[in-house]
Structure formats: structure tokens, C-alpha cells
């Protein structure tokens, strides 16, 4: 009997589907059922590398769809379009009007949109609104995308839920992986030894694409490039190949990780320690208590109070930072748990040298807990509150009493504020108005700040007029100041960034965190 000969990449290939090693996940049968239900829209979501496209293709074939009556396209080609009718009109070769598009859509049994998450928010919102109408007129859509839920793509609409079946394709079981490997062994006339088999399944973390990559790399190491003429055993130390596979994901993850660990330039490297703890965790979830122990638990007892405050502030903004870093489809912090949603990212962390991340972080000056502390009269709080918000948008760490109420609660305020204004801030912004010299607390804070300034070798007090300029004892009329009457808050905040950059001997641009592309 003549054996079919396959090239290695026909059997194990992480970048494109392989019918030879296709194993139907449990969701495939349910997906087939939805596709065969007249009038139903269908959405298939899951992380990158979960096999969505392959499962979709097989389910359509199993459901008996004629490929000639299925309009298929990828939304990546339409990322700039602001209307779903612009997208569909371009694919159908008709005008962008509702009438022209819908008339042509009725010629197809199904419209399949791959990577639907790449459509603009406006286009997706419009798509979601039309689905309810199309449900009644026989126009059916099959949408495939990277997301944790269909809500992330189409928004939350209870009425849409009954018209759209959603299936989530996540990690797969060890049994699934074993079946995939067995089919590859048959095609290539090889046998992975038990050690290689078990190590590959564990390393893949339930990701079919990662598993395909590991199997392919193991075969390359064993010089199995096509179906073997004689049965061959493959026994490979996967510690040799997995780091190289992980490095292929640098383009997707490394800059985003550096961005996240830069965070709000934490004085105690909190964000890096959070990532470090998640990387060291054996699974996909790291509980709050584990994160706290990794940051606060290892701190010097004398410094633990300040570290705990920094940790709590970091946790408060962690969901925002994850989104800003472009990792919101990969990581989630909710319900006091840091969760990895993408098995490929879990694999990447398993094999990443974290010094590559820490070396990309611009550290802030470690002598100070806060970049700036603001001192102001109570009547000026509405203005100061907006100014603090502008500062924090630029990731400047601000001591602002409203944000530290829990920390100050029950403490001797004079002693606590004296330490903050005298020792823990890089700069002190004095928000001057007619009320400033008339209040006991502002007088106290100013005296503390003036005393601290006399002990520093660089400027410390930064006067900012939020009202009229009052005479202040000890503050010369020639002292440089800024005024919100002359400069917008955003410009003043940029000046603060420049002061911080100058003090730390790094460029201002290094302090401006940008979303990773």
C-alpha cells in the first residue's frame, strides 16, 4: 500500500489551517447547529490562535453551505470605514446605499465576516443595529473575531441576543491536543516519545496554534521535513525550541508589556512586580492576595506603609493601564483577580526573559513617593480638582488630599502632611489665590514646603496662580510663577512634565506613555 507523502507544513502549521490535523472541538457541533437554524445570526469569538477560522470553515462545510452562496471577506481591509454600508458596498461592488446593499445581500445564503473586531466602532455599532432588521428579512451574518464576548464586538443589546447565537472558542483539553498530535504522527509516519508528547501538551497551555508550532519545531529539530519513508521516533528536549517559538510573539507583546510596566511610573516598581507575579503563576489567574504579597509582602517593614499605598493606587488604575497598553484582549483585572485571557500570551510569559521588559522601563526618581504635591485653599478646590485630573492624564503622580483620604484617615494630619510636603514629593505646586494666605492649613503646608525647599539643591516650590496673586511672606515678588489666566491647564501640566524630565535627566518624551501600536 502506497503511503501519501505530506510536507511538514501541510501537517503542522501554526499560521494556517491544516485539514490533516483538524480536530473538532466540542463547540463545533453546536456551531453547526446554529448555522443550520434559519434566520439566526452567528458569532464565533475567542483569542488569537484558538482555531476560529478553521472551525468556522469546517462547520460551514458540515452544515452543507454552498461556498458560491457565501459572501466571505476580512474586515482588516476596511478598518477606516465608518459605515457598514461602505464596507458591504465595496465587497459587493454596488453603491453604498442601504437599498443597493440589502438588495444584493439577499442573493447570498450567508455573509461571513472574518476579524470583525477590526471594523471601526461606528461600523460595528451600525452593524449591530441592522442585525435586528436583517433577522426578519432573511439576511444572515456569520461574524468571527477576537474578543472575550460578543458584547465586545456588537455591544450589549438584549433584543439582539435572541437573534444571534454566540459561541466562544477558548483553550482546548489535553485530549484534544493528543488527538491532534496523533493525526500528525500518522501523516508523517512518526511517533513522539512520551516525554516529548507530555511536555508539548503542557507547554501549549491549551492553545491549538501554539501546539502546532511546538510540534512543527520538534519535527524540524528531528529533521522530519516530510512523511518519513520508515517509522521514526521523535524525542526532543522542548526547552531548546520553546524559547524560539515564544520570541516569535515579540512583535505582538513586548512593547505593550513595557508600556504596562512603565505604568504611572511607580516609585516602587509596582507594575513590573504585578507582571512578574502573573508570569510566575502556574495558571491563568492571579488573585489580589498573591499580587499584594508580591509587592507589599517583600517590602522592607519600615517602608511597607508607603509601598502598600503605591500598590493600592496601582491596582485602582490597572484596568485603564491594561487598555492603554493595548492588552485589553489579553489581560483583565476584575473581581480582584488578574486574568490572562489569551493562551498564547500565557505561553509567551512562560518563556519570556523578564529582564527584557524591565530594561525597557524608564524608572522614576526613587527618592520621592509623588511627582508633585498640590497645596490649595478649600474655595479653590473646583479648579484644582480639574487641574489634578489633567496632571494624572499625563501619568503624573499627584498627592491630592481627596485621593488619599483612606491613607490620611485616623492619622495625625499635621505630622502626615508635614512628611508628605516636606519629604515625599519631587515638587510642591502652590495654588495661589486671595484665600491661600488666609487659611491655617495652607499656611502650615507652605511653611513646611518652604523649609523643605531650603534644604534642596534644586527648585521645589512651583507657584501657580489660580486666582489673584496675594502677597505671601517668604515668597519674593520676583519668584517665577505661572497663571491659569495666561496658560491653559494642559500647557501647565506639560511644563510639569518638563520639570520632572529635567530633574531626572531624561527626555520629556520618555515620560509620555503612549499606546503601543
Amino acid at each position: 500500500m502506497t503511503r501519501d507523502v505530506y510536507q511538514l507544513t501541510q501537517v503542522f502549521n501554526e499560521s494556517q489551517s491544516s485539514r490533516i490535523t483538524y480536530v473538532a472541538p466540542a463547540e463545533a457541533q453546536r456551531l453547526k447547529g446554529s448555522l443550520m437554524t434559519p434566520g439566526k445570526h452567528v458569532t464565533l469569538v475567542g483569542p488569537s490562535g484558538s482555531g476560529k477560522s478553521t472551525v468556522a470553515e469546517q462547520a460551514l462545510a458540515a452544515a452543507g453551505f454552498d461556498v458560491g452562496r457565501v459572501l466571505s471577506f476580512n474586515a482588516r481591509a476596511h478598518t477606516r470605514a465608518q459605515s457598514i454600508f461602505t464596507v458591504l458596498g465595496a465587497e459587493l461592488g454596488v453603491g453604498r446605499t442601504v437599498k443597493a446593499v440589502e438588495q444584493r445581500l439577499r442573493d447570498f445564503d450567508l455573509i461571513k465576516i472574518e476579524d470583525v473586531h477590526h471594523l471601526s466602532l461606528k461600523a460595528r455599532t451600525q452593524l449591530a443595529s441592522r442585525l435586528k432588521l436583517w433577522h426578519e428579512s432573511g439576511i444572515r451574518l456569520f461574524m468571527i473575531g477576537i474578543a472575550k464576548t460578543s458584547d465586545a464586538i456588537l455591544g450589549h443589546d438584549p433584543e439582539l441576543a435572541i437573534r444571534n447565537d454566540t459561541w466562544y472558542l477558548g483553550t482546548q483539553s489535553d485530549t484534544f491536543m493528543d488527538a491532534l498530535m496523533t493525526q500528525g504522527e500518522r501523516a508523517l509516519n512518526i511517533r513522539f516519545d512520551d516525554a516529548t508528547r507530555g511536555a508539548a501538551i503542557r507547554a501549549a497551555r491549551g492553545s491549538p496554534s501554539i501546539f502546532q508550532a511546538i510540534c512543527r519545531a520538534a519535527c524540524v529539530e528531528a529533521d522530519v521535513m516530510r512523511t518519513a519513508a520508515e517509522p521514526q521516533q521523535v524525542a526532543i528536549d522542548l526547552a531548546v525550541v520553546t524559547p524560539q517559538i515564544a520570541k516569535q510573539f515579540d512583535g505582538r507583546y513586548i512593547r505593550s508589556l513595557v508600556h504596562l510596566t512603565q505604568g504611572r511610573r511607580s516609585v516602587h516598581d509596582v507594575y513590573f512586580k504585578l507582571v512578574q507575579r502573573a508570569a510566575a503563576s502556574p495558571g491563568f489567574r492571579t488573585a489580589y492576595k498573591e499580587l499584594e504579597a508580591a509587592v507589599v509582602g517583600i517590602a522592607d517593614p519600615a517602608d511597607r506603609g508607603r509601598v502598600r499605598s503605591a500598590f493600592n493606587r496601582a491596582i485602582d488604575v490597572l484596568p485603564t493601564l491594561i487598555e492603554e497598553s493595548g492588552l485589553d484582549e489579553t489581560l483583565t483585572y476584575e473581581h480582584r483577580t488578574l486574568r490572562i485571557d489569551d493562551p498564547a500570551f500565557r505561553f509567551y510569559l512562560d518563556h519570556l526573559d523578564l529582564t527584557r521588559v524591565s530594561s525597557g522601563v524608564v524608572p522614576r526618581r526613587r527618592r520621592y513617593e509623588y511627582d508633585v504635591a498640590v497645596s490649595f485653599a478649600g474655595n479653590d478646590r473646583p479648579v484644582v480638582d480639574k487641574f489634578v485630573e489633567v496632571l494624572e492624564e499625563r501619568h503624573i503622580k499627584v498627592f491630592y488630599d481627596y485621593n488619599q483620604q483612606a491613607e490620611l484617615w485616623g492619622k495625625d494630619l499635621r505630622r502626615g502632611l508635614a512628611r508628605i510636603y516636606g519629604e515625599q514629593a519631587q515638587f510642591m505646586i502652590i495654588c495661589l489665590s486671595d484665600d491661600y494666605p488666609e487659611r491655617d492649613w495652607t499656611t502650615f503646608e507652605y511653611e513646611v514646603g518652604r523649609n523643605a525647599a531650603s534644604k534642596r539643591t534644586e527648585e521645589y516650590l512651583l507657584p501657580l496662580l489660580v486666582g489673584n496673586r496675594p502677597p505671601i511672606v517668604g515668597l519674593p515678588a520676583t519668584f517665577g510663577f505661572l497663571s491659569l489666566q495666561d496658560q491653559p491647564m494642559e500647557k501647565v501640566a506639560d511644563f510639569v512634565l518638563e520639570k520632572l524630565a529635567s530633574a531626572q535627566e531624561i527626555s520629556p518624551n520618555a515620560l509620555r506613555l503612549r499606546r503601543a501600536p
Side-chain angles (χ1 to χ4, degrees):
M1 180 178 177
T2 304
R3 174 181 291 276
D4 290 332
V5 176
Y6 300 101
Q7 297 300 312
L8 172 60
T9 53
Q10 291 178 282
V11 179
F12 293 125
N13 192 329
E14 66 274 19
S15 61
Q16 61 186 37
S17 62
S18 170
R19 291 187 176 87
I20 297 169
T21 51
Y22 175 72
V23 177
E27 297 83 359
Q29 185 66 18
R30 301 162 197 156
L31 178 64
K32 173 185 171 183
S34 294
L35 289 169
M36 294 183 71
T37 303
K40 277 279 189 180
H41 301 302
V42 183
T43 303
L44 180 62
V45 297
S48 176
S50 57
K52 297 182 298 297
S53 295
T54 304
V55 172
E57 180 183 342
Q58 295 291 333
L60 284 171
F65 277 87
D66 179 353
V67 294
R69 293 188 59 80
V70 176
L71 173 66
S72 298
F73 66 92
N74 196 301
R76 288 177 182 268
H78 305 282
T79 55
R80 295 185 179 181
Q82 297 301 302
S83 167
I84 191 61
F85 291 100
T86 299
V87 174
L88 293 171
E91 290 292 335
L92 294 164
V94 299
R96 275 58 167 166
T97 65
V98 173
K99 182 178 180 180
V101 167
E102 292 187 346
Q103 183 176 349
R104 186 74 176 91
L105 287 178
R106 292 187 180 91
D107 294 336
F108 295 92
D109 294 332
L110 193 70
I111 292 85
K112 179 165 74 81
I113 307 178
E114 293 255 18
D115 291 328
V116 67
H117 57 284
H118 279 286
L119 292 176
S120 69
L121 178 59
K122 286 185 177 180
R124 281 187 280 121
T125 301
Q126 190 179 35
L127 172 62
S129 70
R130 301 302 298 188
L131 288 178
K132 291 183 283 187
L133 298 174
W134 290 342
H135 167 79
E136 306 294 341
S137 59
I139 297 172
R140 298 184 63 200
L141 270 79
F142 182 18
M143 297 155 287
I144 305 165
I146 296 175
K148 299 167 190 174
T149 66
S150 63
D151 288 357
I153 294 175
L154 301 174
H156 178 69
D157 186 339
E159 291 186 23
L160 184 57
I162 62 173
R163 298 171 172 88
N164 176 54
D165 281 352
T166 298
W167 300 107
Y168 180 81
L169 199 61
T171 56
Q172 298 300 329
S173 66
D174 291 356
T175 301
F176 176 98
M177 299 299 184
D178 187 74
L180 188 159
M181 181 177 270
T182 298
Q183 291 183 189
E185 288 174 323
R186 291 172 183 159
L188 293 172
N189 196 24
I190 61 173
R191 172 70 184 172
F192 290 97
D193 77 326
D194 290 343
T196 303
R197 191 182 211 86
I201 290 174
R202 288 190 298 273
R205 296 282 196 162
S207 169
S209 68
I210 294 294
F211 193 62
Q212 291 269 1
I214 292 172
C215 291
R216 182 181 62 79
C219 288
V220 170
E221 287 293 313
D223 199 27
V224 177
M225 308 306 292
R226 60 185 61 81
T227 302
E230 299 294 332
Q232 181 175 336
Q233 179 164 289
V234 175
I236 298 296
D237 180 6
L238 289 186
V240 176
V241 299
T242 47
Q244 281 73 36
I245 297 171
K247 199 166 177 59
Q248 296 174 17
F249 290 89
D250 275 353
R252 188 189 300 180
Y253 297 129
I254 191 69
R255 291 186 65 187
S256 294
L257 269 175
V258 170
H259 189 288
L260 177 62
T261 53
Q262 283 177 325
R264 300 291 166 93
R265 303 187 347 270
S266 170
V267 69
H268 299 289
D269 295 333
V270 172
Y271 299 100
F272 177 75
K273 289 173 182 173
L274 296 179
V275 170
Q276 192 176 42
R277 177 63 258 177
S281 295
F284 286 76
R285 296 169 181 267
T286 309
Y288 174 90
K289 287 293 185 184
E290 296 175 70
L291 299 172
E292 183 183 44
V295 177
V296 182
I298 64 173
D300 186 287
D303 200 33
R304 193 161 291 166
R306 286 193 294 168
V307 176
R308 184 179 300 279
S309 296
F311 169 76
N312 289 333
R313 287 192 296 273
I315 287 293
D316 285 344
V317 298
L318 186 56
T320 300
L321 287 175
I322 289 172
E323 183 177 0
E324 290 176 355
S325 301
L327 292 170
D328 44 315
E329 295 297 344
T330 301
L331 275 177
T332 302
Y333 183 77
E334 61 183 8
H335 309 307
R336 292 168 66 87
T337 300
L338 183 61
R339 186 181 72 240
I340 297 173
D341 298 303
D342 184 346
F345 185 65
R346 174 68 270 182
F347 173 81
Y348 184 70
L349 287 182
D350 287 340
H351 302 283
L352 175 65
D353 178 1
L354 284 174
T355 60
R356 297 179 56 215
V357 177
S358 60
S359 64
V361 175
V362 179
R364 69 170 280 203
R365 195 166 186 166
R366 293 178 175 272
R367 288 173 54 196
Y368 303 108
E369 177 75 18
Y370 302 99
D371 292 323
V372 296
V374 293
S375 174
F376 61 96
N379 288 346
D380 297 318
R381 184 177 295 279
V383 175
V384 175
D385 192 69
K386 292 179 182 178
F387 179 54
V388 168
E389 184 177 332
V390 172
L391 291 172
E392 290 181 337
E393 286 174 355
R394 285 155 174 75
H395 309 294
I396 295 169
K397 184 173 286 188
V398 184
F399 173 78
Y400 177 50
D401 58 357
Y402 259 27
N403 294 343
Q404 274 79 36
Q405 291 183 71
E407 183 180 349
L408 297 173
W409 190 14
K411 291 186 179 180
D412 182 328
L413 291 181
R414 280 188 172 270
R415 182 178 298 176
L417 292 175
R419 185 171 64 253
I420 291 167
Y421 287 107
E423 302 171 8
Q424 295 182 359
Q426 178 94 51
F427 296 106
M428 178 176 173
I429 299 179
I430 314 165
C431 300
L432 299 175
S433 69
D434 288 334
D435 289 323
Y436 191 87
E438 303 299 325
R439 299 292 184 265
D440 291 340
W441 278 113
T442 50
T443 300
F444 167 73
E445 292 163 2
Y446 172 69
E447 287 301 324
V448 171
R450 190 163 67 121
N451 183 54
S454 69
K455 298 175 181 178
R456 301 201 185 190
T457 58
E458 57 192 20
E459 63 269 28
Y460 174 59
L461 299 178
L462 303 178
L464 175 66
L465 295 185
V466 298
N468 296 322
R469 180 173 185 172
I472 301 290
V473 176
L475 187 64
T478 57
F479 212 80
F481 68 93
L482 295 176
S483 172
L484 292 182
Q485 295 177 356
D486 301 327
Q487 304 278 2
M489 289 181 181
E490 292 77 11
K491 187 66 173 178
V492 175
D494 288 340
F495 287 148
V496 174
L497 274 176
E498 292 181 21
K499 296 291 286 187
L500 289 167
S502 176
Q504 298 185 72
E505 300 182 346
I506 57 177
S507 72
N509 289 334
L511 296 175
R512 299 173 189 266
L513 302 183
R514 296 184 173 88
R515 184 182 178 91

